[in-house]
């Protein structure tokens, strides 16, 4: 379930006067405290995504760990569907808090002054690129649904008793189709599945009121509308999109009169990291492995868990024996491994199946069935969360642009 946006409409909670002074007098110390809390909360949330350290323990320590394990639930396995749902939940919480830091009780005239006059447009441009990645990830999830259906066909065939040649042939056809799709070099079938997903995912066609919002004469808004309705071409690359989002992503060095350069950089880095992680795990438009890791400074506390997660994901990629991959999503890797083993069984099938071989196949089929259940239960909610991230970015971007437009009108106002 997507987290609730507790901040509501930010434009209803801010007031911009013509004298460019905020309605609430917030001291410099209070502002610093808000910024520190934002970074601390972000760090704490991402620390919860790190897998617990695997330390050698004595018998007494193991018993103590088991005793305390019931008090605090263990985090889901990294790169699993449950883990990605938690990751998106963390992002949505951080995004809401970022808007509060950026807008509420702030002097909006800072938006038109250095360095925010450069940093904010760059951040908003990154959100536009992230919208395309959300679309690609949604298409990729639909492709995983297709793989789950093929695996389910194999499960139903091999659950029959006794296992005869007809059942094995049916399972083998489904599994070969699944594995071929996973390791395909071309992008055609991803594009075809993406078109199907695009028809089902209506966010790009209908807003909350059932229609596309009216066009606004503003180049930055036009780019969003274009992103909502565009379809992917064969030349589109998720990794190149991530690289474009990382351009000019440089930590501020101080001398910021507004105090907001660091939180804008923090949220930009968080956005790029989340999109990078999704592209790494979910099959998108290319099968060339994870894109180059994001360069994050180590002197900031909130970057430590992100760097740790990047290293863990890099380790997972190194475990792959081939470059062509369907993504690092844990369930995809598990389904691929079991499918390959069952294909080997099908190719060497002889009737009747021995008891020992029958038990081995039954265990593998049961494992594949369990993976299918996880996919069936988790892909829908995950897709809804990606959709919620998409909507939140569109809404937040519009709110920030509204503030910038009002500030622009104030700055250009000529008194009578």
């Amino acid at each position: 379930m997507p987290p609730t946006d507790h901040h509501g409409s930010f434009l209803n909670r801010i007031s911009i006067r013509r004298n460019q002074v905020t309605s609430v007098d917030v001291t410099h110390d209070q502002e610093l405290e808000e910024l520190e809390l934002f970074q601390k909360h972000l760090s704490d949330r991402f620390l919860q995504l790190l897998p617990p350290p695997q330390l050698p323990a004595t018998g007494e320590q193991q018993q103590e760990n088991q005793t305390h394990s019931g008090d605090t639930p263990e985090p889901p396995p990294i790169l699993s569907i449950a883990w990605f749902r938690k990751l998106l939940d963390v992002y949505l919480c951080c995004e809401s808090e970022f808007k509060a830091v950026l807008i509420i009780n702030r002097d909006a005239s800072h938006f038109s002054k250095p360095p925010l006059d450069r940093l904010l447009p760059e951040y908003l441009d990154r959100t536009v690129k992230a919208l395309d990645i959300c679309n690609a990830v949604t298409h990729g999830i639909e492709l995983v649904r297709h793989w789950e259906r093929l695996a389910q066909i194999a499960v139903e065939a091999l659950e029959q008793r006794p296992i005869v040649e007809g059942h094995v042939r049916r399972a083998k056809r489904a599994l070969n189709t699944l594995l071929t799709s996973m390791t395909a070099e071309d992008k055609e079938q991803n594009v075809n599945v993406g078109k199907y997903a695009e028809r089902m995912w209506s966010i790009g066609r209908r807003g909350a009121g059932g229609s596309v919002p009216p066009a606004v004469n503003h180049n930055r808004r036009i780019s969003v509308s274009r992103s909502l309705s565009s379809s992917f071409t064969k030349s589109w690359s998720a990794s190149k999109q991530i690289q474009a989002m990382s351009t000019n992503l440089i930590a501020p060095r101080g001398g910021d009169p507004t105090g907001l350069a660091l939180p804008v950089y923090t949220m930009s880095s968080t956005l790029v990291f989340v999109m990078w992680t999704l592209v790494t795990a979910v099959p998108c438009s290319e099968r060339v492995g994870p894109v180059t890791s994001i360069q994050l400074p180590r002197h900031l506390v909130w970057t430590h868990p992100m760097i740790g997660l990047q290293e863990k994901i890099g380790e997972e990629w190194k475990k792959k024996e081939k470059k062509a991959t369907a993504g690092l999503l844990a369930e995809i890797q598990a389904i691929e491994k079991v499918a390959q083993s069952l294909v080997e069984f099908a190719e060497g099938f002889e009737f009747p199946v021995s008891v020992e071989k029958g038990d081995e196949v039954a265990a593998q089929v049961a494992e594949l069935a369990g993976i299918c259940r996880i996919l069936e239960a988790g892909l829908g909610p995950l897709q809804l969360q990606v959709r919620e991230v998409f909507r939140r970015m569109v809404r937040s971007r519009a709110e920030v642009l509204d503030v910038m437009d009002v500030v622009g009108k104030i700055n250009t106002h000529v008194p009578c």
Side-chain angles (χ1 to χ4, degrees):
M1 178 183 298
T4 304
D5 186 354
H6 298 288
H7 298 283
S9 176
F10 284 83
L11 293 181
N12 294 333
R13 300 182 59 183
I14 63 175
S15 174
I16 304 176
R17 294 181 179 179
R18 289 186 179 275
N19 59 6
Q20 303 178 9
V21 178
T22 55
S23 59
V24 179
D25 184 15
V26 182
T27 65
H28 182 63
D29 291 340
Q30 288 174 323
E31 291 177 351
L32 290 178
E33 183 180 358
E34 289 178 4
L35 299 180
E36 290 176 0
L37 281 176
F38 169 61
Q39 295 177 74
K40 182 181 184 302
H41 291 166
L42 187 145
S43 177
D44 291 343
R45 289 173 181 137
F46 275 91
L47 279 173
Q48 296 174 5
L49 295 170
L50 279 168
Q54 300 295 326
L55 299 176
T58 63
E60 293 181 359
Q61 289 174 331
Q62 289 177 352
Q63 185 177 3
E64 183 178 355
N65 291 339
Q66 291 175 358
T67 302
H68 291 291
S69 63
D71 300 335
T72 56
E74 292 186 2
I78 189 170
L79 296 176
S80 64
I81 291 177
W83 186 85
F84 272 101
R85 292 193 61 192
K86 190 172 182 180
L87 172 68
L88 295 182
D89 193 4
V90 164
Y91 171 78
L92 289 170
C93 291
C94 293
E95 196 271 347
S96 291
E97 191 167 347
F98 168 70
K99 281 199 299 182
V101 170
L102 183 67
I103 297 179
I104 294 181
N105 295 335
R106 294 288 173 179
D107 185 349
S109 65
H110 289 161
F111 283 30
S112 61
K113 299 177 181 178
L116 287 187
D117 62 338
R118 174 182 57 84
L119 295 178
L120 273 180
E122 289 178 356
Y123 169 71
L124 295 178
D125 182 65
R126 290 187 182 99
T127 63
V128 174
K129 292 179 172 64
L131 296 179
D132 286 335
I133 292 177
C134 285
N135 274 329
V137 169
T138 303
H139 300 166
I141 292 174
E142 202 61 42
L143 180 59
V144 178
R145 286 180 186 273
H146 174 63
W147 294 343
E148 184 268 327
R149 287 190 287 267
L150 290 171
Q152 189 60 45
I153 291 173
V155 168
E156 293 172 357
L158 295 177
E159 282 180 340
Q160 304 297 321
R161 291 294 180 272
I163 301 178
V164 297
E165 188 174 352
H167 300 154
V168 174
R169 283 201 306 266
R170 184 166 181 248
K172 182 180 177 182
R173 283 196 300 269
L175 293 175
N176 277 332
T177 302
L178 185 154
L179 292 172
T180 301
S181 176
M182 283 185 167
T183 58
E185 295 291 341
D186 62 285
K187 305 174 185 179
E188 285 298 331
Q189 58 187 344
N190 274 10
V191 171
N192 292 334
V193 174
K195 290 178 180 178
Y196 170 73
E198 188 177 3
R199 289 196 300 269
M200 297 190 63
W201 197 39
S202 60
I203 182 69
R205 301 297 190 270
R206 297 184 294 273
S211 60
V212 177
V216 180
N217 291 328
H218 198 298
N219 290 336
R220 289 170 293 180
R221 297 182 191 260
I222 294 174
S223 63
V224 173
S225 301
R226 191 172 296 143
S227 176
L228 296 183
S229 60
S230 64
S231 59
F232 296 105
T233 63
K234 291 183 179 181
S235 62
W236 189 87
S237 166
S239 61
K240 290 179 181 178
Q241 198 83 331
I242 295 291
Q243 291 170 1
M245 292 175 66
S246 302
T247 303
N248 298 325
L249 191 59
I250 303 172
R253 297 183 179 181
D256 170 27
T258 69
L260 293 175
L262 183 57
V264 172
Y265 168 76
T266 300
M267 198 62 214
S268 293
S269 301
T270 303
L271 174 64
V272 176
F273 173 80
V274 171
M275 295 298 115
W276 173 84
T277 308
L278 287 170
V279 168
T280 301
V282 179
C284 290
S285 64
E286 70 269 3
R287 310 292 182 87
V288 294
V291 296
T292 305
S293 298
I294 309 159
Q295 301 301 316
L296 295 171
R298 293 184 176 270
H299 68 278
L300 299 174
V301 176
W302 57 267
T303 63
H304 295 172
M306 288 189 190
I307 293 172
L309 288 170
Q310 282 193 108
E311 292 173 350
K312 291 291 183 182
I313 294 172
E315 292 172 4
E316 288 297 319
W317 174 249
K318 290 178 182 178
K319 294 178 183 178
K320 300 292 287 183
E321 296 180 356
K322 57 182 182 299
K323 291 185 178 180
T325 179
L328 294 181
L329 189 68
E331 287 79 8
I332 293 178
Q333 296 190 69
I335 208 172
E336 182 180 12
K337 181 179 178 180
V338 179
Q340 288 173 343
S341 180
L342 289 175
V343 167
E344 292 176 1
F345 160 74
E347 289 176 345
F349 173 76
E350 292 182 0
F351 182 84
V353 181
S354 65
V355 175
E356 182 180 354
K357 192 64 175 178
D359 292 342
E360 179 184 343
V361 170
Q364 292 176 340
V365 171
E367 181 181 356
L368 187 59
I371 300 169
C372 288
R373 286 192 294 270
I374 294 174
L375 291 173
E376 186 176 4
L379 288 178
L382 177 62
Q383 197 170 35
L384 288 177
Q385 277 186 292
V386 175
R387 179 177 182 174
E388 176 61 22
V389 169
F390 185 102
R391 284 177 167 168
R392 184 74 68 81
M393 286 191 294
V394 171
R395 184 166 66 247
S396 299
R397 190 175 186 280
E399 290 170 352
V400 174
L401 284 174
D402 284 340
V403 176
M404 295 174 69
D405 287 344
V406 173
V407 172
K409 292 176 182 177
I410 292 175
N411 291 338
T412 58
H413 176 71
V414 179
C416 298

